[in-house]
């Protein structure tokens, strides 16, 4: 089989999703399955839907188009604010989009009128992580204006934490989102069906037994796919962390000095790595590199240690000689997974 390849175990992903859907249902929260790390793979999307996620979310309209093209039947939400230049595509393929700019909602409204469709809008609120979001003091007026746009239906509010600055979801910021939902309903009448509290980083809060208030949706990607939470990158009890495996092939296997010789400057990526002399080692080169994966996000198997990587080569040290042609398996973190999924050089093999 060709290498490098990413082997995907759908049953493990479905198990992870079913487990979290069940645990969160007990807290009054439904799951939007986030497909962006899997490039909108229709097989993975279908596994998530079989497991009971309420709908799908993706940050790229291209991925939503892929899933629509494959007849994946689900409500689909664009979870990044649409580009003005993509308004027509967003209205054509996404049921709902997350928004923070009235100019964008205005353009979505025009596109929706032209297409004779209604487009759902979730307004994102800034609660401290300083990525996307309307400042809470501006939310009421944003709601008022959103309600005035033809062919636009305000579906709810949401927030996103732990992505840019690592601000953790907690009882305070989640209570603030709930309170904002209450105050909007108090002014405009009950109209917010979605109060979306965040991503995989919200799980600890959501399952802690804390009052979940108005929050009735979480958007989960990493936790479903990799079985771990993104704050400390700890495995979540009862979930598989090995649904994805990267397999790479050995192209050189030699005993070499551990220390380079000659004058040493920066490497191809501008890094200077100090290397201590450990004598001769068993050094292996694999045909996989920065163009295929984030090498620093690969978990090496026992007895194999990461030494370095360039665009097309991964260099490891091993206790035993790894023969040319041998295949080596790695587990991946989120960053490695995203790069491997999006690299045209990595073959995807879906196992059911
Ligand atoms: C990527 C993303 C998610 C999913 O995040 P995970 O940490 O993978 O669960 C949720 N919401 C938004 C807005 C995102 O961009």
């Amino acid at each position: 089989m060709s290498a490098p390849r990413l082997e995907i175990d759908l049953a493990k992903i479905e198990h992870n999703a079913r487990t979290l859907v069940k645990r969160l249902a007990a807290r009054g929260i439904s799951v939007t399955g986030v497909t962006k790390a899997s490039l909108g793979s229709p097989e993975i999307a279908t596994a998530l839907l079989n497991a009971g996620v309420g709908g799908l979310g993706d940050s790229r309209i291209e991925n939503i188009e892929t899933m629509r093209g494959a007849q994946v039947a689900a409500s689909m939400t664009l979870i990044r604010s649409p580009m003005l230049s993509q308004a027509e595509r967003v209205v054509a393929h996404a049921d709902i989009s997350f928004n923070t700019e009235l100019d964008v909602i205005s353009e979505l409204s025009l596109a929706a009128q032209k297409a004779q469709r209604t487009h759902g809008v979730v307004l994102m609120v800034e609660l401290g992580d300083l990525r996307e979001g309307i400042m809470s003091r501006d939310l009421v007026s944003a709601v008022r204006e959103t309600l005035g746009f033809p062919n636009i239906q305000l579906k709810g509010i949401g927030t996103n934490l732990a992505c840019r600055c690592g601000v953790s979801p907690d009882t305070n910021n989640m209570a603030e989102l709930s309170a904002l939902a209450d105050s909007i309903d108090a002014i405009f009448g009950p109209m917010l069906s979605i109060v979306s509290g965040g991503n995989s980083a919200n799980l600890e809060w959501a399952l802690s037994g804390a009052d979940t208030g108005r929050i009735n949706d979480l958007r989960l990607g990493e936790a479903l796919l990799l079985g771990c939470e993104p704050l400390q990158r700890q495995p979540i009890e009862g979930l598989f962390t090995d649904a994805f495996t990267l397999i790479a092939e050995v192209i050189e296997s030699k005993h070499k000095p551990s220390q380079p010789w000659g004058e040493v400057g920066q490497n191809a990526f501008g890094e200077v790595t100090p290397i201590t002399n450990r004598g001769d080692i068993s050094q292996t080169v694999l045909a996989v590199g920065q163009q295929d994966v984030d090498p620093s996000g690969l978990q090496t198997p026992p007895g194999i240690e990461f030494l370095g990587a360039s665009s097309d080569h991964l260099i490891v040290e091993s206790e035993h000689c790894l023969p040319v042609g041998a295949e080596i398996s790695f587990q991946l973190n989120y960053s490695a997974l995203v790069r491997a999924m999006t690299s045209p050089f990595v073959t995807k093999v879906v196992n059911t």
Side-chain angles (χ1 to χ4, degrees):
M1 224 186 275
S2 73
R5 64 180 183 276
L6 191 63
E7 296 197 341
I8 305 169
D9 187 328
L10 279 187
K12 288 182 177 171
I13 295 171
E14 190 171 325
H15 166 89
N16 287 355
R18 181 167 285 125
T19 305
L20 288 177
V21 164
K22 210 180 286 172
R23 286 183 197 168
L24 287 167
R27 313 283 301 135
I29 294 174
S30 65
V31 174
T32 296
V34 174
T35 49
K36 70 187 185 210
S38 50
L39 212 57
S41 151
E43 291 101 330
I44 293 178
T46 304
L48 299 181
L49 290 166
N50 290 342
V53 304
L56 299 171
D58 203 296
S59 49
R60 311 267 170 164
I61 192 63
E62 292 83 352
N63 292 344
I64 289 178
E65 288 168 352
T66 299
M67 294 188 284
R68 290 280 190 226
Q71 319 295 329
V72 175
S75 164
M76 294 199 197
T77 301
L78 184 68
I79 60 174
R80 183 174 71 179
S81 182
M83 291 179 234
L84 277 180
S85 57
Q86 293 186 335
E88 286 187 8
R89 289 169 75 178
V90 172
V91 162
H93 300 286
D95 303 287
I96 299 173
S97 58
F98 285 5
N99 284 271
T100 62
E101 292 287 352
L102 292 168
D103 285 347
V104 175
I105 301 171
S106 166
E107 198 68 25
L108 292 169
S109 169
L110 290 173
Q113 291 170 67
K114 220 163 94 184
Q116 299 185 313
R117 298 171 74 104
T118 301
H119 184 71
V121 161
V122 168
L123 293 176
M124 294 297 276
V125 187
E126 174 63 70
L127 289 180
D129 197 49
L130 296 179
R131 201 178 71 179
E132 76 276 36
I134 297 164
M135 294 297 287
S136 53
R137 60 172 179 265
D138 300 325
L139 187 61
V140 166
S141 82
V143 167
R144 183 171 290 116
E145 298 217 37
T146 301
L147 293 173
F149 286 114
N151 299 54
I152 292 292
Q153 188 180 17
L154 181 65
K155 292 279 189 188
I157 62 172
T159 196
N160 194 72
L161 294 166
C163 274
R164 183 192 152 196
C165 298
V167 172
S168 303
D170 59 23
T171 44
N172 288 332
N173 46 41
M174 290 298 105
E176 186 178 349
L177 189 65
S178 279
L180 287 167
D182 285 341
S183 64
I184 286 163
D185 281 352
I187 298 170
F188 301 100
M191 60 174 56
L192 301 179
S193 54
I194 300 169
V195 182
S196 188
N199 54 47
S200 295
N202 284 62
L203 281 170
E204 198 179 308
W205 161 82
L207 300 173
S208 67
D211 181 10
T212 51
R214 290 285 304 269
I215 286 134
N216 61 9
D217 172 74
L218 289 182
R219 313 170 304 269
L220 303 182
E222 181 167 358
L224 307 181
L225 301 177
L226 293 177
C228 73
E229 56 78 31
L231 288 174
Q232 314 295 333
R233 297 250 135 67
Q234 291 302 309
I236 299 170
E237 206 197 321
L239 301 196
F240 292 108
T241 57
D242 59 351
F244 294 86
T245 307
L246 182 82
I247 291 153
E249 186 174 325
V250 174
I251 53 171
E252 181 186 299
S253 181
K254 296 196 186 304
H255 283 278
K256 289 194 181 185
S258 49
Q259 199 165 40
W261 62 94
E263 203 174 316
V264 175
Q266 293 182 349
N267 70 7
F269 289 89
E271 306 147 339
V272 183
T273 11
I275 295 175
T276 49
N277 192 357
R278 290 169 291 122
D280 276 13
I281 58 166
S282 177
Q283 178 184 296
T284 302
V285 181
L286 296 141
V288 67
Q290 304 269 8
Q291 292 200 74
D292 312 289
V293 73
D294 175 359
S296 66
L298 291 178
Q299 191 186 321
T300 53
I304 297 181
E305 203 184 317
F306 174 82
L307 291 179
S310 58
S311 306
D312 311 295
H313 299 82
L314 179 73
I315 302 104
V316 299
E317 175 181 350
S318 61
E319 281 169 19
H320 308 288
C321 165
L322 305 170
V324 169
E327 291 192 333
I328 312 296
S329 302
F330 301 88
Q331 247 50 91
L332 308 89
N333 75 5
Y334 190 75
S335 161
L337 174 65
V338 169
R339 187 108 47 102
M341 279 303 305
T342 50
S343 171
F345 301 107
V346 178
T347 308
K348 284 79 181 173
V349 181
V350 180
N351 300 313
T352 45

